């Protein structure tokens, strides 16, 4: 009879062995594996200019979407989100949208822009943001399937990736009911937003540097320019303008991540190398900094999966890195909020802060309380053992949690209301 390993202690690993493994450069290669070869050949100064250009495109896209919402009119704009008035349906919309487009940054940026434009109530946006947090964890879970050919490797890799899933699920299970009843995250975000405006951040009514830089391009692309010139009603033009903005956001976020991977990959690898095997808070900080640097929590969490599969890192070591990545990925929404001006600017900042505070509160509760800390580890290890024996359970987990349940819930809501 064999003794089951403790959650996270699935392979012997030392800080030295892990550092050696990371120093070999495999993590860097994996992180940039989806970057086009042509982009890799460019010098750093060109990559830096491209990063600035894609960031500018992201901010312009936010202006384009806001322009589209204004073109629709208040009633029509609000109608786009009528089916998500139930907080649970809003949660599932966030999960499904993010799982499909593989980018929580795109989802949350759209939510921030919609709130700022007055098209989405903040009470609905909060659970949608929570859903995006769940949906983004599908990427590193899919990355673990690269080890499916080796049973023990797959068990370790799948556990290390799904600890992200389980943490986000447990955080929502705990915080969503509390938010529905007492609104602690929304109220905290509103308080922080109130403190920032007029002090750290200028009031958009007094200063609009971003608008000055981006409005000319928005006018050319939006309702006053290209999209407004298309045949059809204002509703059609407004809808197409919003779709154009969403496409621009997706493109900008995707390419900004690729470019920043190339610029930062050496530094990011060094940060992770120094943090693994150390104090959990150090690991969280490393996960957060690397994610801010490469603008993608999926990169940070996915790059750890091969190390887990090989046994160089344990699930317990990867766990705090994942939590830091969760916080780091909220920076994109904060950048988006800075680009929203006018009456909805403070609301946009508030919902962006909701994303940050949801993750911070989740860490304080789930990781800060010792009796809850191991729950994601236990869930991930248990599922990984079952999935290693029969891979169909791993496939079923991904399809059920991230696609089938959210899609069915939304479909039922649409059909019966």
């Amino acid at each position: 009879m064999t003794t089951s390993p403790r959650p996270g202690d699935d392979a012997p690993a030392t800080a030295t062995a892990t550092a050696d493994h990371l120093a070999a450069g495999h993590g860097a290669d994996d992180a940039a594996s989806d970057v086009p070869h042509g982009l890799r050949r460019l010098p750093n100064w060109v990559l830096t200019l491209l990063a600035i250009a894609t960031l500018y495109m992201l901010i312009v896209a936010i202006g384009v979407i806001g322009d589209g919402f204004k073109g629709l009119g208040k009633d029509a704009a609000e109608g786009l989100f009528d089916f998500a008035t139930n907080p649970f349906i809003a949660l599932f919309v966030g999960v499904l949208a993010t799982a499909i487009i593989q980018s929580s940054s795109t989802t949350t940026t759209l939510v921030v822009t919609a709130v700022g434009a007055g098209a989405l109530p903040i009470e609905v946006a909060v659970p949608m943001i929570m859903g995006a947090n769940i949906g983004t964890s599908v990427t590193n879970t899919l990355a673990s399937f690269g080890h499916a050919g080796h049973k023990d490797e797959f068990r370790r890799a799948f556990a290390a990736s799904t600890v992200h899933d389980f943490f986000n699920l447990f955080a929502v299970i705990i915080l969503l009911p509390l938010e529905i009843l007492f609104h602690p995250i929304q109220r905290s975000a509103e308080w922080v937003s109130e403190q920032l405006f007029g002090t750290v951040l200028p009031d958009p009514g007094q200063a609009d540097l971003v608008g000055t830089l981006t409005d000319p391009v928005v006018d050319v692309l939006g309702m006053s320019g290209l999209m407004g010139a298309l045949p059809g009603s204002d509703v059609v033009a407004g809808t197409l303008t919003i779709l154009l903005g969403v496409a621009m956001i997706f493109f900008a976020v995707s390419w900004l991540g690729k470019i920043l991977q190339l610029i930062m990959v050496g530094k990011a690898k060094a940060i992770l190398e120094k943090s693994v095997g150390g104090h959990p808070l150090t690991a969280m900080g490393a996960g957060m900094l690397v994610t801010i640097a490469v603008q993608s929590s999926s990169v940070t969490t996915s790059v750890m999966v091969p190390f887990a599969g090989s046994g160089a890192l344990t699930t317990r070591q990867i766990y705090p890195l994942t939590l830091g990545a969760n916080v780091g990925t909220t920076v994109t929404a904060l950048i988006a909020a800075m680009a929203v001006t006018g009456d909805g600017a403070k609301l946009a900042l508030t919902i962006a802060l909701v994303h940050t505070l949801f993750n911070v509160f989740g860490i304080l509760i789930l990781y800060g309380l010792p009796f809850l800390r191991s729950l994601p580890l236990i869930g991930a290890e248990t599922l990984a053992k079952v999935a290693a024996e029969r891979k169909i359970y791993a496939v079923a987990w991904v399809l059920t949690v991230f696609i089938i349940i959210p899609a069915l819930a939304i479909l039922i809501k649409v059909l019966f209301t």
Side-chain angles (χ1 to χ4, degrees):
M1 180 175 177
T2 58
T3 303
S4 299
R6 289 188 304 130
D9 296 338
D10 47 5
T14 63
T16 303
T18 303
D20 290 343
H21 210 85
L22 281 168
H26 298 117
D29 293 340
D30 290 333
S33 60
D34 62 340
V35 178
H37 287 288
L39 204 60
R40 298 187 193 193
R41 296 193 186 100
L42 296 175
N44 264 14
W45 68 270
V46 175
L47 292 172
T48 301
L49 290 177
L50 287 174
I52 294 170
T54 51
L55 181 60
Y56 180 78
M57 179 186 285
L58 173 63
I59 296 172
V60 167
I62 292 160
V64 169
I65 292 175
D67 196 44
F69 278 127
K70 291 174 186 174
L72 285 179
K74 185 174 176 60
D75 292 339
E78 289 177 348
L80 291 177
F81 298 96
D82 278 348
F83 67 99
T85 51
N86 182 307
F88 295 102
I89 299 301
L91 174 76
F92 290 133
V93 168
V95 174
L96 186 61
T98 306
I100 290 172
I101 64 178
Q102 295 277 289
S103 172
S104 63
S105 296
T106 301
T107 306
T108 53
T109 298
L110 178 58
V111 170
V112 165
T113 310
V115 169
L120 185 64
I122 195 166
E123 292 79 11
V124 176
V126 172
M128 207 173 282
I129 291 288
M130 293 182 181
N133 231 57
I134 294 174
T136 195
S137 61
V138 72
T139 306
N140 60 309
T141 301
L142 291 173
S144 68
F145 281 83
H147 298 267
H150 304 277
K151 181 178 174 181
D152 288 338
E153 279 190 28
F154 182 66
R155 177 181 62 81
R156 292 190 293 261
F158 196 68
S161 60
T162 54
V163 74
H164 193 196
D165 304 1
F166 278 101
F167 176 84
N168 289 334
L169 286 168
F170 282 126
V172 169
I173 289 169
I174 292 170
L175 288 170
L176 181 58
L178 290 175
E179 187 62 25
I180 292 171
L181 292 173
F182 306 111
H183 310 294
I185 300 174
Q186 180 184 332
R187 288 176 179 173
S188 299
E190 287 171 344
W191 183 84
V192 174
S193 178
E194 188 67 37
Q195 304 312 305
L196 291 177
F197 263 86
T199 54
V200 179
L201 299 176
D203 190 311
Q206 300 171 352
D208 185 10
L209 177 61
V210 172
T212 302
L213 294 173
T214 59
D215 280 351
V217 181
V218 172
D219 289 341
V220 169
L221 295 175
M223 296 291 290
S224 301
L226 180 64
M227 303 311 292
L230 294 175
S233 64
D234 285 346
V235 172
V236 172
T239 303
L240 291 174
T241 303
I242 292 169
L243 292 175
L244 172 64
V246 171
M248 290 173 64
I249 286 175
F250 184 79
F251 181 87
V253 168
S254 174
W255 280 92
L256 183 61
K258 287 180 171 66
I259 294 164
L260 289 176
Q261 283 178 52
L262 291 177
I263 295 173
M264 299 299 300
V265 70
K267 295 176 183 177
K269 181 177 73 67
I271 291 171
L272 293 175
E273 179 183 332
K274 291 177 182 178
S275 68
V276 292
H279 194 279
L281 288 178
T282 304
M284 281 185 206
M288 182 177 69
L289 289 174
V290 169
T291 303
I292 292 172
V294 300
Q295 284 290 286
S296 173
S297 61
S298 297
V299 170
T300 307
T301 53
S302 295
V303 79
M304 294 291 101
V305 172
F307 298 126
S310 68
L313 290 178
T314 65
T315 304
R316 191 175 292 276
Q317 287 174 311
I318 288 174
Y319 183 18
L321 280 167
T322 297
L323 306 188
N326 266 2
V327 176
T329 198
T330 66
V331 169
T332 308
L334 290 169
I335 292 172
M338 304 298 179
V340 177
T341 58
D343 295 336
K346 193 175 290 185
L347 279 176
L349 178 61
T350 299
I351 196 61
L353 287 167
V354 162
H355 193 196
T356 305
L357 292 176
F358 167 69
N359 284 294
V360 171
F361 288 173
I363 291 170
L364 291 175
I365 294 170
L366 268 172
Y367 200 85
L369 299 176
F371 63 93
L372 294 177
R373 188 176 302 156
S374 292
L375 282 180
L377 287 167
I378 293 169
E381 288 288 351
T382 303
L383 178 62
K385 287 177 186 176
V386 175
E389 295 298 329
R390 298 191 66 183
K391 305 297 188 299
I392 189 64
Y393 289 117
V395 175
W397 169 262
V398 172
L399 290 178
T400 303
V401 173
F402 298 104
I403 303 294
I404 295 173
I405 292 177
L408 279 177
I410 295 168
L411 182 62
I412 291 169
K413 167 71 174 176
V414 171
L415 291 176
F416 294 98
T417 57

